[in-house]
Amino acid sequence: DVTIPSGKSPEISVTTEANCKNLTVSGSLIIKSTSLSTGSLIISGTSSGSVSCERYMTGNKWHMVSPIATGGSISTFIQLAGNAIPLSGSNYAMMDYNETANTWNSYFTSSTSGSFTAGQGYGLRRSSDGVVTFIGTLASGTMMVNITKEGTEGWNLIGNPYSSSIYMNASANGTYNFLKTNASYLDASYACVYVWDVDSRTYKILGNSSYSGRDLSINVFAPGQAFFIKAASA
């Protein structure tokens, strides 16, 4: 068990792989991120208290992200100066995906309501290279993420809900991986995950087979990484 008392503010560095049973934060805890790596924290018990989690992003490019810490206000997040989210008129460079209409929803504004939930994916960009910071509670244990199929396609933008990396396919771990665990929930014709590649400006595919030039070639997803899946049903 780890307790961080009031007045204390330790950091988990980008080279640290931390783990604990139950986590109680009365002070503050920061998980750092740079262009080279992101700190990792695995919680095998429960978590309480507020944690600040950084996610490094290259500037002026769209990324698909998922909140590492949840419960924080979306409106506060997009207006935080340190997150450097571009503003055009009343629109901030952040949005979520509309599965029913099979398109992106409108850009968020300062009046966008709601708070971050575990496993939800978003489109996001910064105006320059740097980090965005999610502030809230950390996920632990098995996380259930709701998906829908109200439209004809069923594309859902979800993400890694944890403050540690997760195995995505059999190449990462033959027993414990996202595609195997969720096989019955995925459209059998699209039993992969789809990730926006910021360099090629295309969607890359991660599955258990090769997709030639569209292979993502990354089998483990870092904290904060979001991706599309095609649902078999709601």
Side-chain angles (χ1 to χ4, degrees), residues 10-12 14 23 25 28-34 37-43 47 49-57 65-71 77 80 82-83 116 124 130-139 160-164 222-224:
E11 295 182 352
I12 295 176
V14 297
L23 174 67
V25 181
S28 65
L29 173 64
I30 302 174
I31 302 178
K32 304 294 289 183
S33 179
T34 68
S37 184
T38 298
S40 173
L41 172 60
I42 296 176
I43 304 166
S47 177
S50 181
V51 180
S52 297
C53 301
E54 296 181 351
R55 167 68 174 177
Y56 181 87
M57 295 169 49
V65 302
S66 185
I68 306 171
T70 60
F77 174 86
L80 190 65
N83 288 337
F116 288 116
L124 177 67
V131 299
V132 295
T133 302
F134 296 99
I135 302 173
T137 57
L138 299 181
N160 177 3
Y162 299 107
S163 53
S164 61

Side-chain angles (χ1 to χ4, degrees), residues 13-223:
S13 76
V14 297
T15 58
T16 298
E17 299 177 3
N19 63 83
C20 68
K21 187 179 179 183
N22 299 311
L23 174 67
T24 303
V25 181
S26 297
S28 65
L29 173 64
I30 302 174
I31 302 178
K32 304 294 289 183
S33 179
T34 68
S35 61
L36 300 178
S37 184
T38 298
S40 173
L41 172 60
I42 296 176
I43 304 166
S44 60
T46 61
S47 177
S48 63
S50 181
V51 180
S52 297
C53 301
E54 296 181 351
R55 167 68 174 177
Y56 181 87
M57 295 169 49
T58 50
N60 294 311
K61 294 180 179 180
W62 285 102
H63 297 257
M64 299 199 309
V65 302
S66 185
I68 306 171
T70 60
S73 163
I74 293 174
S75 176
T76 299
F77 174 86
I78 59 177
Q79 296 181 79
L80 190 65
N83 288 337
I85 300 173
L87 174 65
S88 177
S90 61
N91 297 322
Y92 285 89
M94 186 174 187
M95 52 194 171
D96 55 5
Y97 197 77
N98 187 322
E99 178 274 318
T100 303
N102 197 34
T103 189
W104 292 95
N105 285 320
S106 299
Y107 294 110
F108 291 167
T109 69
S110 59
S111 60
T112 296
S113 61
S115 57
F116 288 116
T117 59
Q120 175 69 49
Y122 301 89
L124 177 67
R125 65 189 294 156
R126 272 184 56 98
S127 59
S128 60
D129 294 355
V131 299
V132 295
T133 302
F134 296 99
I135 302 173
T137 57
L138 299 181
S140 62
T142 300
M143 297 300 299
M144 304 298 290
V145 178
N146 290 327
I147 57 177
T148 63
K149 193 174 184 182
E150 297 175 356
T152 58
E153 295 294 332
W155 290 107
N156 286 253
L157 181 58
I158 62 175
N160 177 3
Y162 299 107
S163 53
S164 61
S165 297
I166 55 175
Y167 299 131
M168 295 303 296
N169 62 3
S171 295
N173 187 290
T175 303
Y176 303 106
N177 68 78
F178 177 87
L179 290 177
K180 181 177 180 179
T181 299
N182 297 288
S184 62
Y185 305 117
L186 305 179
D187 185 315
S189 297
Y190 297 85
C192 303
V193 298
Y194 300 79
V195 177
W196 178 253
D197 180 65
V198 298
D199 294 322
S200 66
R201 295 169 63 92
T202 59
Y203 286 97
K204 294 294 185 74
I205 302 173
L206 173 63
N208 287 315
S209 301
S210 174
Y211 295 89
S212 189
R214 294 194 66 188
D215 282 345
L216 181 63
S217 302
I218 298 173
N219 303 315
V220 178
F221 279 2

